[in-house]
């Protein structure tokens, strides 16, 4: 039975979140509206400072928080945007001071309302975590690993989790076993979530998985921003253009530093040795990143990351799910990170959890969460579908990508999008629209609005008439 106090947060009820990273923190904030206590169980020890920790190895690499994600995080933590610059985060206008060498060359630069922040992933997580540390309903249990789910006797409801905890910070093992009971358990334990095995252990089927892998690898490093450096930009992105496999990004972050991440698709992994890294940077379609870092002072080791496959666990398709258990963040769907969608999708999932809990509690008597799990996972799959389509259709441009072949629709989208991007190289309006889709503010269907469609058709007609003129000229010369 669920506590009848759910939705009345001044009376005893308990939610538990597995994983204290971005998805877990955002979910915990939402849960604290409905539950008297929220416990976040995190394997790592967590600091008040933006320190690197083992549970999020990806934090050593470039992370962009898309505009949609920033807006949602501001909604969940009012005022946090104003705290970011004070903490060192750098305000960036995505269309004005972030250079982009895209498939049609340099994109246009202009001021827009696409204001975001450049900061390390560790600082972003730390800023959110501090808000949760200050939330009186939220408790962190640190250095603790969730091992399994607890359920009621007929296994229809998850009633908590079994946890192993470290006894002191020097230990590598987690000897103390404790059971935590809760009305709702949220799995936000990331790409390596053990939820499929946990569910099997209490008599449920594991979800089907869809995996699309372009075998993209990251290598990253921090540099000291040179004292005499001056430029009219704060970041630069050079994208890979299939069949060319290489790309890279450099941005200023807090602490007068640059983060530089080089990427290679199809196992063309950027090297982790000094000379190899620089040579890789020089080999990009545009050498601007190499030119910027070649004489700069590195201040971190070179770090590689290769677990970048798109992996979607289809909990929404399961015919049975226990009540009292939902999943979100990378635990449900981890994207190829190069498109920067993970944190924003986790933020959208947190908002959805808010909506679903609110509807559930207005429809049913307080405390009845039956049906919430399936409803939430089904709605979440609709949110995931758009970034999934965007990420996988880009990955399918590379012949080395595994996980099926692009459908005719995807192939059409790729060709159509190429036309939009080529047009966007000379059109601020189209580039803005493209950025809005990339930042998950608008759906990709906006590319098919009549004004865009007309421009694409005109371009295709112009190109094919130029092609046929060239052929006629060649035929005349041949005669
Ligand atoms: C190289 C790379 C670059 C990326 N770049 C971007 C980007 O530019 N923009 C973007 O939006 N996203 C990016 N992402 C994705 C982003 O990091 C994630 O989507 C985001 O962190 C949300 O993940 P999460 O909170 O679901 O899981 P994670 O961040 O993976 O966190 C899972 C947490 O759960 C804890 N945990 C795991 N198992 C247990 C357990 N059994 N018990 C207790 N605790 C547990 C871990 O210690 C960890 O703290 C990138 C990812 C990678 C790999």
């Amino acid at each position: 039975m669920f506590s009848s106090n759910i939705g009345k947060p001044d009376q005893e009820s308990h939610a538990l979140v597995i994983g204290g990273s971005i998805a877990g923190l955002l979910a915990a904030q939402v849960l604290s509206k409905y539950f008297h206590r929220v416990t976040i169980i995190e394997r790592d020890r967590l600091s008040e400072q933006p320190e690197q920790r083992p549970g999020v190895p990806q934090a050593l690499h470039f992370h962009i928080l898309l505009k949609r994600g920033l807006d949602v995080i501001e909604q969940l933590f009012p005022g946090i945007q104003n705290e970011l610059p004070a903490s060192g985060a750098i305000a960036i206008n995505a269309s004005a001071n972030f250079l982009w060498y895209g498939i049609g060359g340099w994109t246009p630069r202009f001021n827009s309302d696409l204001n975001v922040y450049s900061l390390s992933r560790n600082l972003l997580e730390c800023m959110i975590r501090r808000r949760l540390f200050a939330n009186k309903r939220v408790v962190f249990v640190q250095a603790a690993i969730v091992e399994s789910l607890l359920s009621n006797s007929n296994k229809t409801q998850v009633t908590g989790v079994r946890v192993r905890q470290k006894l002191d910070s020097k230990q590598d093992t987690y000897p103390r076993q404790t059971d935590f009971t809760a009305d709702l358990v949220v799995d936000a334990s990331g790409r390596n979530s053990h939820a499929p095995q946990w569910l099997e252990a209490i008599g449920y089927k594991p979800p089907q998985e869809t995996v699309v892998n372009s075998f993209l690898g990251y290598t990253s490093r921090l540099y000291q921003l040179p004292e005499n450096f001056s430029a009219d930009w704060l970041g630069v992105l050079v994208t890979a253009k299939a069949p060319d496999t290489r790309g890279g990004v450099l941005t200023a972050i807090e602490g007068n530093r640059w983060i530089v991440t080089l990427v290679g698709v199809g196992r063309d992994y950027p090297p982790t040795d000094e000379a190899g890294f620089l040579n890789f940077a020089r080999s990009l379609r545009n050498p601007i990143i190499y030119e910027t870092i070649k004489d700069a002072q590195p201040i971190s080791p070179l770090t590689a990351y290769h677990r970048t496959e798109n992996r979607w666990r289809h909990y929404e398709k399961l015919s049975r799910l226990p009540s009292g258990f939902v999943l979100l963040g990378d635990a449900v769907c981890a994207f190829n990170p190069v498109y920067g969608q993970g944190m924003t999708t986790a933020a959208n999932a947190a908002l959805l959890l808010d909506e679903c809990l609110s509807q559930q509690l207005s429809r049913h008597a307080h405390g009845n969460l039956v049906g919430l799990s399936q409803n939430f996972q089904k709605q979440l799959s609709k949110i995931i579908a758009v970034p999934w389509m965007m990420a996988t259709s880009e990955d399918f441009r590379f012949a080395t990508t595994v996980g099926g072949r692009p459908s005719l629709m995807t192939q059409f989208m790729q060709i159509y999008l190429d036309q939009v991007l080529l047009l966007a190289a000379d059109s601020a309006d189209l580039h803005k629209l493209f950025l809005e889709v990339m930042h998950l503010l608008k759906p990709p269907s906006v590319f098919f609005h009549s004004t865009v469609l007309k421009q694409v058709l005109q371009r295709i007609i112009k190109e094919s008439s130029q092609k046929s003129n060239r052929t006629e000229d060649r035929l005349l010369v041949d005669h």
Side-chain angles (χ1 to χ4, degrees):
M1 275 296 287
F2 300 105
S3 158
S4 60
N5 293 328
I6 299 168
K8 296 184 248 168
D10 51 335
Q11 293 174 40
E12 184 52 38
S13 59
H14 185 209
L16 191 147
V17 179
I18 309 170
S21 179
I22 302 285
L25 296 172
L26 302 181
Q29 177 70 1
V30 164
L31 293 169
S32 70
K33 274 174 66 178
Y34 299 91
F35 293 83
H36 184 62
R37 274 184 309 133
V38 179
T39 304
I40 299 177
I41 303 204
E42 169 52 50
R43 183 174 52 189
D44 289 342
R45 287 197 189 280
L46 302 168
S47 162
E48 287 270 1
Q49 302 307 318
E51 286 163 12
Q52 180 60 28
R53 58 187 183 86
V56 283
Q58 72 267 36
L60 293 166
H61 301 271
F62 170 78
H63 267 66
I64 180 166
L65 177 62
L66 302 178
K67 176 76 172 117
R68 166 71 187 168
L70 179 64
D71 291 348
V72 175
I73 290 175
E74 173 66 23
Q75 193 177 329
L76 295 174
F77 303 95
I80 200 164
Q81 270 203 64
N82 295 335
E83 294 167 14
L84 291 176
S87 72
I90 293 163
I92 286 199
N93 186 271
S95 56
N97 28 53
F98 196 80
L99 305 188
W100 188 354
Y101 195 76
I103 73 153
W106 291 113
T107 54
R109 291 176 69 186
F110 51 92
N111 265 314
S112 70
D113 53 358
L114 290 169
N115 295 314
V116 291
Y117 290 93
S118 180
L119 69 170
S120 67
R121 154 68 205 242
N122 281 332
L123 178 58
L124 176 65
E125 189 183 301
C126 175
M127 299 291 291
I128 301 171
R129 191 164 63 230
R130 282 183 194 154
R131 289 292 194 105
L132 270 302
F133 279 151
N135 184 331
K136 291 202 168 48
R137 293 196 201 288
V138 177
V139 176
F140 285 83
V141 176
Q142 304 180 34
I145 296 186
V146 170
E147 278 196 331
S148 57
L149 300 174
L150 306 175
S151 60
N152 60 355
S153 56
N154 57 5
K155 315 245 189 265
T156 54
Q157 185 184 334
V158 167
T159 54
V161 294
R162 177 153 297 166
V163 171
R164 285 204 168 270
Q165 271 177 282
K166 281 189 184 180
L167 298 177
D168 69 62
S169 54
K170 287 182 209 92
Q171 268 179 328
D172 281 336
T173 54
Y174 295 74
R176 185 201 286 150
Q177 184 181 296
T178 319
D179 286 353
F180 288 79
T181 56
D183 298 294
L184 179 66
V185 173
V186 176
D187 180 27
S189 62
R191 194 182 265 274
N192 297 321
S193 159
H194 287 98
Q197 295 85 335
W198 296 337
L199 281 172
E200 265 192 296
I202 58 166
Y204 289 81
K205 281 194 178 145
Q208 292 166 16
E209 288 192 1
T210 311
V211 179
V212 175
N213 195 347
S214 68
F215 298 98
L216 175 139
Y218 275 51
T219 301
S220 301
R221 173 171 247 190
L222 296 170
Y223 288 84
Q224 185 69 50
L225 205 127
E227 262 175 31
N228 55 358
F229 183 79
S230 105
D232 66 347
W233 50 265
L234 294 163
V236 56
L237 171 67
V238 178
T239 42
K241 178 182 175 186
D244 182 274
T245 50
R246 298 180 173 191
V249 61
L250 172 155
T251 55
I253 56 168
E254 76 278 2
N256 287 321
R257 297 175 296 170
W258 279 322
I259 185 161
V260 177
T261 290
L262 301 181
V263 302
V265 185
R267 295 198 174 88
D268 180 19
Y269 298 134
T272 50
D273 65 284
E274 194 78 41
F277 186 75
L278 281 177
N279 279 335
F280 194 99
R282 187 161 38 193
S283 72
L284 302 191
R285 290 169 50 236
N286 186 291
I288 184 166
I289 295 178
Y290 169 75
E291 294 297 339
T292 312
I293 60 172
K294 67 182 188 325
D295 300 317
Q297 177 67 44
I299 50 171
S300 79
L302 286 150
T303 313
Y305 193 98
H306 296 170
R307 287 271 331 269
T308 60
E309 77 280 3
N310 301 282
R311 181 178 296 274
W312 188 352
R313 298 190 175 105
H314 295 283
Y315 290 102
E316 78 282 2
K317 291 190 180 159
L318 288 176
S319 57
R320 284 171 67 238
L321 260 181
S323 41
F325 186 53
V326 298
L327 312 94
L328 43 69
D330 284 16
V332 176
C333 185
F335 302 95
N336 177 346
V338 82
Y339 311 107
Q341 301 162 319
M343 298 189 294
T344 297
T345 305
N348 281 333
L351 274 196
L352 174 70
L353 184 61
D354 195 353
E355 247 174 71
C356 288
L357 275 167
S358 160
Q359 282 166 8
Q360 179 87 18
L361 295 173
S362 66
R363 257 192 249 125
H364 303 281
H366 272 305
N368 185 346
L369 297 185
V370 173
L372 173 80
S373 313
Q374 262 154 334
N375 180 33
F376 176 77
Q377 301 308 147
K378 282 206 162 65
Q379 303 292 334
L380 181 60
S381 71
K382 292 181 194 157
I383 288 179
I384 291 170
V386 171
W388 175 267
M389 186 270 284
M390 288 163 65
T392 54
S393 56
E394 282 306 298
D395 282 358
F396 277 131
R397 288 179 186 270
F398 297 91
T400 43
T401 297
V402 301
R405 290 319 310 151
S407 62
L408 277 177
M409 186 58 191
T410 302
Q411 292 175 41
F412 168 74
M413 279 293 292
Q414 290 169 343
I415 294 167
Y416 186 86
L417 195 62
D418 281 350
Q419 297 297 323
V420 176
L421 286 171
L422 290 169
L423 283 164
D426 297 315
S427 158
D429 286 350
L430 274 185
H431 184 53
K432 169 99 190 299
L433 195 67
F434 182 73
L435 287 176
E436 286 167 338
V437 173
M438 285 274 305
H439 280 258
L440 298 178
L441 295 167
K442 289 188 175 165
S445 57
V446 293
F447 293 138
F448 295 95
H449 282 181
S450 56
T451 46
V452 184
L453 193 63
K454 200 169 135 202
Q455 293 178 67
V456 169
L457 289 176
Q458 280 168 347
R459 188 173 193 283
I460 292 172
I461 292 165
K462 197 169 145 200
E463 262 207 334
S464 52
S465 83
Q466 280 170 351
K467 217 187 250 166
S468 70
N469 285 346
R470 278 198 298 274
T471 317
E472 276 172 23
D473 290 350
R474 236 194 349 262
L475 287 173
L476 284 174
V477 171
D478 287 350
H479 281 90

